[in-house]
Amino acid sequence: MVDQSIAGPVKAMSVSEGDRSGRARIVIVLLCLGLAAAVFLSLTSGASDASAVNVIRDWLSGAVPFDAALSARDSLIVYDIRLPRIILGILVGAALAVSGAVMQGLFRNPLADPGLIGVSAGSSLGAVAIIVLGATILAPVTALFGTLALPMAAFFGGLATTLVLYQVATRRGQTSVATMLLAGIALAALAMALTGILIFMADDRQLRDLTFWSLGSLGGATWAKIASVGPIIILALAAMPFLARGLNALALGEATAGHLGIPVQRLKYTAIIGVSAAVGASVAVSGGIGFVGIVVPHLLRLLIGPDNRYLLPASALLGASLLLLADAVARTIVAPAELPIGIVTAVAGAPFFLWILLRKRGVVDL
């Protein structure tokens, strides 16, 4: 039987959140429509005249294969360039946004970000190592995996950081969130220092590659990359909604969540592994894309409340939509060149992040 002192806050929270459940469902429906519009925009934006209308007409014509009615040029642009880029943008945007929402729920802080646990820095270290040392020390790895060497190195760099972090933060079967946060900052600083050493060793060509990769881009999207990281991201995203009930209870404190029957330790472990897999795989194929994990969950929390049953799927939809829109801007604003997508998200996200900080301190009240 649950203690009344515990049941009271839980009941109050459920009633207040129940008032927002109808709005949350409406917002999720609107976000689905918004994602469809973002996909349409991404499919039609660019130098080619291969529009979405022509593609849909080709699909409805019953031609087999689907691209038979398209010209060879339009077929290449739509199916081998734009479509992989759209799918990768949806996966990466959803992964970063949902990971941010989970981290904010785990740390009980709306300013938490997937980068706090050092996954992004570890992934960057792995990628930079391949770029700089791929022709020398790591030549066997490059020869073995070819074009997949970079994303695989980034993923395993993030995974290694996560394993070290978990070992440091866990004592006697219990994981301290505070220790995890501090250890994540330390590991990120160490990874960035090692990355700096590798950058110092790089030549001019490698420096250009490093700069473009570190700012983030979906320009290298291919079906092979989607096949390599897609299953990892999809599995991580599929597991996240099962954490919603535990994250809701965790908002009342770890002790209270434990009294409510939530396996707190398993919740922490699952959340960290899921976030690490999603973020590591995303950084591996897109580079460093910031602020999506902070801005999206916090904005939705203002609209639909903190109930993770609605917040997590809504974050996936909005994160995917925003990243597709940012990619469309990055491809068109300086056409025919391409602006790194990390610059677009930073320009939009940094002022919003500053507003969050000022709002929490009571400097502004909007």
Side-chain angles (χ1 to χ4, degrees):
M1 183 176 181
V2 179
D3 189 89
Q4 292 299 320
S5 62
I6 298 174
V10 174
K11 182 178 180 180
M13 183 179 70
S14 63
V15 171
S16 62
E17 294 311 312
D19 296 338
R20 292 189 177 185
S21 61
R23 180 194 298 178
R25 294 187 181 95
I26 294 174
V27 169
I28 289 176
V29 172
L30 293 177
L31 289 175
C32 290
L33 298 176
L35 179 58
V39 170
F40 184 86
L41 178 64
S42 297
L43 200 58
T44 57
S45 60
S48 170
D49 57 356
S51 66
V53 175
N54 291 336
V55 176
I56 294 174
R57 185 183 299 133
D58 186 65
W59 289 349
L60 295 178
S61 68
V64 181
F66 284 152
D67 59 351
L70 292 173
S71 67
R73 173 177 172 271
D74 288 350
S75 175
L76 176 65
I77 291 173
V78 170
Y79 293 104
D80 293 334
I81 298 177
R82 290 185 184 174
L83 198 56
R85 189 166 185 149
I86 290 171
I87 294 176
L88 189 64
I90 292 174
L91 291 175
V92 171
L96 295 177
V98 173
S99 296
V102 171
M103 291 299 295
Q104 291 171 12
L106 184 64
F107 287 99
R108 302 190 292 279
N109 190 324
L111 301 180
D113 178 76
L116 285 178
I117 57 176
V119 181
S120 298
S123 297
S124 297
L125 176 60
V128 171
I130 285 293
I131 293 174
V132 177
L133 305 177
T136 55
I137 298 176
L138 298 180
V141 177
T142 305
L144 180 62
F145 296 105
T147 57
L148 295 179
L150 180 62
M152 291 188 65
F155 174 74
F156 283 108
L159 181 62
T161 303
T162 302
L163 295 177
V164 173
L165 173 67
Y166 189 77
Q167 290 298 320
V168 171
T170 303
R171 286 293 180 272
R172 298 175 182 176
Q174 298 295 319
T175 302
S176 169
V177 173
T179 304
M180 186 185 302
L181 174 61
L182 296 174
I185 294 174
L187 288 174
L190 178 60
M192 292 304 296
L194 296 176
T195 301
I197 294 174
L198 292 174
I199 292 175
F200 180 78
M201 299 168 53
D203 57 30
D204 291 341
R205 180 188 61 81
Q206 293 169 343
L207 285 174
R208 286 193 296 271
D209 293 340
L210 289 172
T211 300
F212 195 79
W213 186 88
S214 64
L215 293 176
S217 174
L218 298 177
T222 62
W223 292 114
K225 287 185 177 180
I226 293 175
S228 63
V229 302
I232 299 173
I233 296 177
I234 291 173
L235 287 176
L237 290 177
M240 297 295 187
F242 293 99
L243 305 177
R245 177 174 173 268
L247 292 174
N248 287 342
L250 199 61
L252 301 174
E254 291 188 16
T256 304
H259 287 304
L260 291 173
I262 301 299
V264 177
Q265 182 62 25
R266 188 172 66 188
L267 174 66
K268 294 177 186 177
Y269 177 79
T270 306
I272 292 300
I273 293 299
V275 168
S276 300
V279 175
S282 299
V283 174
V285 292
S286 65
I289 300 176
F291 292 101
V292 175
I294 293 181
V295 172
V296 169
H298 191 81
L299 180 60
L300 287 171
R301 198 174 282 109
L302 296 176
L303 291 175
I304 64 176
D307 191 341
N308 287 279
R309 294 175 302 170
Y310 303 109
L311 182 62
L312 295 182
S315 295
L317 293 170
L318 184 57
S321 300
L322 288 183
L323 197 61
L324 288 182
L325 293 177
D327 182 56
V329 172
R331 286 189 286 129
T332 57
I333 194 171
V334 291
E338 180 178 324
L339 192 69
I341 193 173
I343 295 178
V344 179
T345 58
V347 168
F352 187 85
F353 183 68
L354 182 60
W355 172 73
I356 294 175
L357 292 175
L358 296 176
R359 187 172 181 269
K360 285 180 68 65
R361 293 182 60 188
V363 178
V364 295
D365 186 13
L366 299 177

